[in-house]
């Protein structure tokens, strides 16, 4: 495994963690209970699958046309996965910003009614999910800039290989 493959693995795991935190958040009691975001699960699963596909394809050592096509496919997977994670993060922020503002910045006269333990827990879960998606997206971007097949992105010159 190269450094890029390890980083892509980390990005896939972080994406899964973000999806789990998001799923727990919408299933738990509180302000965001049942407030599912459109395409969040779909985009998350697609990003995880694309990261896994890029890792697997990057480990294949094929030559010729097939090797070139697979390298192109792996590159596309590495580009599309961070885009999907960015879409997840943007969709989640846009769906939660009004509720977070209501919970944290309500007037003093309604703050006690709004800032219940369940609502604060729900808001914290939403923020945790956003952080997980953001870190997963950054890891996927870093993985996309690193090589999947050669160690630490450095290939061995042909005159030195046996």
């Amino acid at each position: 495994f190269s450094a890029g493959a390890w980083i892509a693995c980390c990005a896939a795991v972080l994406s899964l963690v973000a999806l789990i935190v998001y799923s727990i958040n919408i299933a738990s009691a509180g302000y965001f209970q049942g407030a599912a975001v459109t395409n969040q699960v779909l985009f998350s699963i697609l990003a995880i699958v694309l990261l896994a596909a890029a890792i697997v394809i990057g480990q294949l050592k094929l030559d010729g046309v097939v090797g070139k096509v697979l390298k192109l496919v792996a590159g596309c997977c590495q580009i599309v996965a961070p885009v999907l994670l960015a879409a997840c993060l943007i969709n989640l922020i846009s769906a939660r910003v009004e509720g977070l503002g209501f919970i944290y910045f309500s007037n003093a006269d309604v703050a006690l009614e709004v800032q219940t333990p369940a609502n604060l827990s729900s808001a914290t879960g939403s923020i945790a999910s956003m952080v997980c998606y953001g870190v997963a997206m950054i890891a996927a971007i870093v993985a996309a800039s690193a090589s999947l097949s050669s160690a630490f992105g450095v290939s061995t010159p042909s005159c030195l290989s046996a």
Side-chain angles (χ1 to χ4, degrees):
F1 261 27
S2 68
W6 283 112
I7 297 169
C9 282
C10 290
V13 169
L14 286 168
S15 301
L16 182 61
V17 168
L19 180 59
I20 291 169
V21 171
Y22 165 77
S23 298
I24 290 170
N25 183 246
I26 62 171
S28 299
Y31 191 83
F32 297 114
Q33 181 179 13
V37 178
T38 307
N39 294 325
Q40 192 77 5
V41 174
L42 175 66
F43 288 174
S44 298
I45 291 172
L46 281 175
I48 293 166
V49 168
L50 289 173
L51 286 167
I55 294 166
V56 170
I57 293 170
Q59 302 313 306
L60 299 175
K61 306 292 186 218
L62 298 173
D63 294 326
V65 175
V66 173
K68 289 179 182 180
V69 169
L70 287 178
K71 189 173 181 180
L72 180 66
V73 170
C76 289
C77 290
Q78 286 182 294
I79 292 169
V80 175
V83 170
L84 288 171
L85 291 171
C88 286
L89 179 61
I90 292 167
N91 286 340
L92 189 59
I93 290 171
S94 66
R96 299 291 192 255
V97 70
E98 185 178 341
L100 291 171
F102 181 67
I103 291 170
Y104 287 117
F105 303 108
S106 289
N107 294 334
D109 55 333
V110 296
L112 292 176
E113 296 172 16
V114 174
Q115 293 181 350
T116 64
N119 285 351
L120 289 172
S121 175
S122 186
T124 303
S126 288
I127 293 169
S129 182
M130 290 175 199
V131 169
C132 289
Y133 275 113
V135 172
M137 178 190 67
I138 291 169
I141 291 169
V142 171
S145 66
S147 174
L148 290 173
S149 57
S150 58
F152 299 103
V154 179
S155 53
T156 306
S158 59
C159 63
L160 298 178
S161 60

